Amino acid sequence: MSSDLDYKHIWLFVCVCVCVCVCVCVCAKVNLPLNPVQCFTFFTPYEFPVILLLLASLGSVLCFRYSALPKWCKAVVINIVSVYYVVSLLQCMSLCCLFPDLIPPSVCNLLNSSTIYANNEVSLAEVDIYGFDYDYTLALYSDALNTMIYNTARDFLIEHFKYPEGIRKYDYIPNFAARGLHYDIQKGLLMKIDAFHYIQLGTVYRGLNPVPDEEVLRLYGGTHHVPLQQVSGFYGKGPKVKQFMDIFSIPEMTLLAVANDFFISNDIEYDPEHLYKDVSEAIGMVHIKGYMYKWIMQDLEKYILGRDETYAVLHRLVSHGKKLFLITNSPFSFVDKGMRYMVGKDWRDFFDVVIVQADKPHFFNDCVKPFRRLDGNGDLQWDKINSLDKGQIYKQGNLYDFLRLTGWRGSSVLYFGDHLYSDLADLMLRHGWRTGAIVPELDLETKVVNTEQYAQSLTWLQALTGLLERMQMHRDSQSREVLQDWLKEREELRLRTKNLFNPQFGSIFRTCHNPTYFSRRLCRFSDVYMASISCLLNYDLSYTFYPRRTPLQHEAPLWMDQLCTGCMKTPFLEEMAHIR
């Protein structure tokens, strides 16, 4: 009997240890202390009570099952297991009742990078004409192109503008800059600005080194707000601040950073405005002199991505009776070589109108330049253009003549491009076309959002923010100390979340909690946006895109408002797989 009782004691001890280990592992998994409020943010409102009741029940069953145990042992186990978890459950339930919005919805980790995201309701059934830009729309380029642009512009800076030879030691840094950043021309600062013109502290760089927050505030008169008049240019070119909006600008930002870094590191006096002008001209020379076109045409396989998807998209649209047109700033010889590689020698049969060297954005807002026709060799012809015919190649021109000659107007036209200003802004605001933005960065951003680390950090960050908002009215010293600890932890979580995307500048879509300046323009100038045009293969051509109804600050959030369209199974994916 005594040995049997000892066995039961051992078994009870093992069960209690297992329960404790499970609790510790769960808290370690979410990187939180043993605090029921914090644990509650990890589990859903349905899972957490069940887990607590199961643990409490397990302790009770063990105690009453082994009736031979001493009474003091029963009392200890019941107090440790049952009381703690029942109190914890009541604490969490009271929080949920008092502050229902404190508990954030479960963070989605099923985002599909092939999803098309809607800023505005768009029915593809109403779209009869599809237009495309070429660079970074029909043709996506590998990162090797950025390296070549940077190296060549750096050499131009040294050899043509006579900059110090020491700059040549700086190699291209692939993950330093990100699209949508602003550059203060007079101060030589690269930074990220949110939709309200506030600089995100911690993302201001002079050269390759971050600028302390205190210095940023001093440089901008005690604030981190950039006045409207400095960034008010419609195409992102204010008098003192330049926004880099296209993917081709990433090498330019990197070259600006390394050139600034060289002068600062070597204590050489220089004027940041002169540096900005010279770097811009050096980058421009890469394009004007045709170096970029030559590299790509010499090694199409190395630089062009997604050739099969481009063919599949064009083939599918044409087979459904849609009209297609191409408007690009690139020259005909370059476009022809790339399209032959991606689509085939008969690529022009897909398009009803092809326009090269269009000089966007002036093409969309000037009515000065007439259309010129090119022959099969790319040579200019002298005949007057009275119609835009299929199979022909046209140069320059303007949108007003384009509309007059084609009659394509309004929401029956959907145009895709990567540059929010040069490709999309005028078309949406002035002419009522539907617009689609190509944002290749979505591939990386959705992968980060799908990680467990991001989901946990964001969930607890939201919960912490809710706690801070509710508890800030307590003025006693102990409460103030707790609030300061929470504020410090919140800043650490913000930094950790930012670094998941880009250690210097974070996500291109968000600052800490506000949309970025880039993100606000993306919502303003595009009806839909996606990682590449291949995303069209996942949708039926009568599909309607509905924007998610996110609650305004004065509206009560509904459960359906929290649903994420991007995490749903992409429609028609299996049906379209054979096209790929």
Side-chain angles (χ1 to χ4, degrees):
M1 183 70 180
S2 175
S3 62
D4 183 49
L5 184 61
D6 290 341
Y7 172 77
K8 292 176 180 178
H9 276 82
I10 294 171
W11 177 244
L12 177 63
F13 177 75
V14 171
C15 290
V16 172
C17 289
V18 169
C19 292
V20 173
C21 289
V22 169
C23 295
V24 172
C25 289
V26 168
C27 293
K29 172 181 172 61
V30 299
N31 196 27
L32 297 174
L34 285 170
N35 185 316
V37 178
Q38 292 172 311
C39 291
F40 186 60
T41 64
F42 178 74
F43 300 105
T44 68
Y46 302 102
E47 295 170 341
F48 194 77
V50 174
I51 291 171
L52 295 183
L53 291 174
L54 285 175
L55 290 172
S57 300
L58 175 61
S60 300
V61 168
L62 287 173
C63 287
F64 289 105
R65 170 67 180 82
Y66 301 109
S67 57
L69 294 176
K71 291 182 179 180
W72 66 267
C73 188
K74 292 181 182 180
V76 169
V77 174
I78 291 174
N79 285 331
I80 291 176
V81 179
S82 301
V83 174
Y84 174 75
Y85 285 107
V86 169
V87 171
S88 299
L89 176 60
L90 292 174
Q91 182 181 3
C92 294
M93 290 177 65
S94 65
L95 275 173
C96 193
C97 294
L98 293 174
F99 312 124
D101 57 334
L102 179 64
I103 309 303
S106 298
V107 176
C108 172
N109 61 351
L110 298 172
L111 289 178
N112 188 337
S113 60
S114 296
T115 300
I116 295 178
Y117 299 93
N119 295 320
N120 194 15
E121 185 172 324
V122 177
S123 174
L124 294 183
E126 299 176 358
V127 178
D128 299 316
I129 305 105
Y130 287 78
F132 301 92
D133 182 27
Y134 179 73
D135 297 303
Y136 281 108
T137 301
L138 289 177
L140 294 179
Y141 300 120
S142 66
D143 291 337
L145 182 60
N146 285 339
T147 304
M148 293 294 290
I149 294 173
Y150 169 87
N151 289 339
T152 307
R154 179 198 59 194
D155 294 343
F156 272 137
L157 204 61
I158 296 169
E159 296 164 8
H160 181 78
F161 293 95
K162 307 304 179 183
Y163 272 62
E165 184 68 28
I167 295 178
R168 206 186 298 272
K169 71 178 182 180
Y170 289 88
D171 293 326
Y172 178 65
I173 309 171
N175 298 316
F176 176 75
R179 185 153 62 131
L181 299 179
H182 285 76
Y183 185 76
D184 190 313
I185 298 171
Q186 294 180 332
K187 297 179 177 67
L189 301 178
L190 190 63
M191 67 191 77
K192 187 165 76 170
I193 296 178
D194 71 11
F196 302 97
H197 292 203
Y198 281 92
I199 301 167
Q200 181 182 354
L201 297 177
T203 67
V204 181
Y205 275 73
R206 180 186 287 116
L208 299 176
N209 297 307
V211 180
D213 295 347
E214 297 78 12
E215 185 177 351
V216 173
L217 293 173
R218 179 178 60 80
L219 289 171
Y220 288 92
T223 180
H224 53 103
H225 180 266
V226 180
L228 173 65
Q229 63 270 17
Q230 293 188 17
V231 292
S232 61
F234 184 75
Y235 298 106
K237 298 179 181 179
K240 297 180 180 179
V241 178
K242 162 71 182 296
Q243 186 182 20
F244 293 102
M245 286 295 282
D246 65 336
I247 303 173
F248 284 129
S249 64
I250 292 178
E252 182 176 356
M253 286 185 275
T254 307
L255 185 56
L256 278 168
V258 301
N260 275 290
D261 187 77
F262 173 82
F263 286 120
I264 294 169
S265 301
N266 292 277
D267 199 23
I268 299 174
E269 186 177 350
Y270 72 105
D271 188 332
E273 291 191 63
H274 296 332
L275 175 62
Y276 168 76
K277 179 177 178 295
D278 294 341
V279 168
S280 296
E281 289 188 19
I283 290 287
M285 291 173 71
V286 176
H287 297 277
I288 294 172
K289 291 181 176 293
Y291 287 98
M292 187 191 77
Y293 304 135
K294 182 177 67 175
W295 301 328
I296 295 174
M297 289 191 289
Q298 287 176 347
D299 198 342
L300 296 168
E301 189 172 353
K302 176 181 178 181
Y303 292 109
I304 293 183
L305 306 174
R307 57 180 293 195
D308 295 332
E309 284 82 357
T310 300
Y311 171 82
V313 170
L314 299 180
H315 180 271
R316 181 163 177 252
L317 292 175
V318 171
S319 65
H320 282 76
K322 306 298 182 181
K323 295 182 180 296
L324 308 184
F325 66 92
L326 171 65
I327 302 177
T328 176
N329 286 347
S330 295
F332 171 69
S333 59
F334 174 69
V335 174
D336 183 58
K337 190 76 175 287
M339 291 300 291
R340 284 174 180 267
Y341 172 73
M342 293 185 291
V343 179
K345 63 179 182 180
D346 298 325
W347 68 270
R348 282 189 278 173
D349 293 341
F350 285 106
F351 294 92
D352 293 85
V353 178
V354 175
I355 301 169
V356 298
Q357 292 178 275
D359 191 26
K360 296 178 294 183
H362 303 297
F363 179 90
F364 295 129
N365 52 48
D366 291 342
C367 55
V368 178
K369 294 181 180 178
F371 283 109
R372 297 287 301 271
R373 188 169 61 86
L374 303 180
D375 63 15
N377 297 321
D379 296 324
L380 279 173
Q381 301 300 293
W382 53 85
D383 52 322
K384 182 177 177 62
I385 305 301
N386 296 311
S387 62
L388 299 176
D389 301 322
K390 186 170 184 175
Q392 299 295 321
I393 304 296
Y394 299 95
K395 178 182 177 181
Q396 295 179 348
N398 62 83
L399 184 65
Y400 299 95
D401 285 342
F402 179 88
L403 297 175
R404 177 176 57 82
L405 296 173
T406 62
W408 297 341
R409 298 177 180 275
S411 57
S412 64
V413 184
L414 173 55
Y415 184 79
F416 295 94
D418 67 293
H419 199 298
L420 300 182
Y421 296 137
S422 297
D423 289 326
L424 307 181
D426 287 298
L427 294 177
M428 167 173 276
L429 299 180
R430 302 176 192 271
H431 303 286
W433 285 12
R434 296 296 195 177
T435 55
I438 304 301
V439 188
E441 294 90 345
L442 278 169
D443 274 332
L444 174 62
E445 297 257 348
T446 52
K447 287 177 183 177
V448 172
V449 171
N450 285 338
T451 61
E452 185 177 359
Q453 185 179 3
Y454 175 84
Q456 293 172 0
S457 297
L458 184 62
T459 301
W460 181 230
L461 180 61
Q462 292 294 90
L464 256 183
T465 304
L467 286 169
L468 286 166
E469 184 178 11
R470 295 299 187 273
M471 304 305 179
Q472 61 183 320
M473 69 285 296
H474 297 283
R475 301 295 181 181
D476 59 281
S477 60
Q478 188 175 5
S479 297
R480 302 308 297 175
E481 184 177 349
V482 172
L483 285 171
Q484 289 303 314
D485 290 340
W486 282 350
L487 285 169
K488 181 179 178 182
E489 184 177 0
R490 182 170 178 253
E491 288 304 311
E492 292 172 353
L493 281 170
R494 282 179 162 185
L495 179 62
R496 186 188 311 166
T497 305
K498 174 181 81 76
N499 291 344
L500 292 175
F501 295 95
N502 178 295
Q504 292 76 234
F505 303 101
S507 169
I508 70 170
F509 299 102
R510 280 198 178 274
T511 55
C512 295
H513 52 274
N514 288 332
T516 59
Y517 198 94
F518 172 86
S519 184
R520 179 61 61 87
R521 294 301 180 272
L522 177 67
C523 295
R524 182 70 181 90
F525 299 144
S526 66
D527 291 290
V528 295
Y529 63 99
M530 65 209 77
S532 70
I533 61 167
S534 64
C535 297
L536 285 169
L537 296 174
N538 300 319
Y539 297 86
D540 186 83
L541 292 181
S542 61
Y543 188 85
T544 299
F545 296 101
Y546 296 99
R548 183 175 47 165
R549 185 188 184 279
T550 54
L552 301 174
Q553 294 297 312
H554 67 278
E555 295 177 328
L558 304 175
W559 180 252
M560 290 302 293
D561 288 331
Q562 309 304 320
L563 288 179
C564 177
T565 55
C567 68
M568 299 178 183
K569 179 182 176 183
T570 306
F572 307 106
L573 190 58
E574 287 77 9
E575 291 83 341
M576 291 298 113
H578 68 280
I579 294 181
R580 293 180 180 275

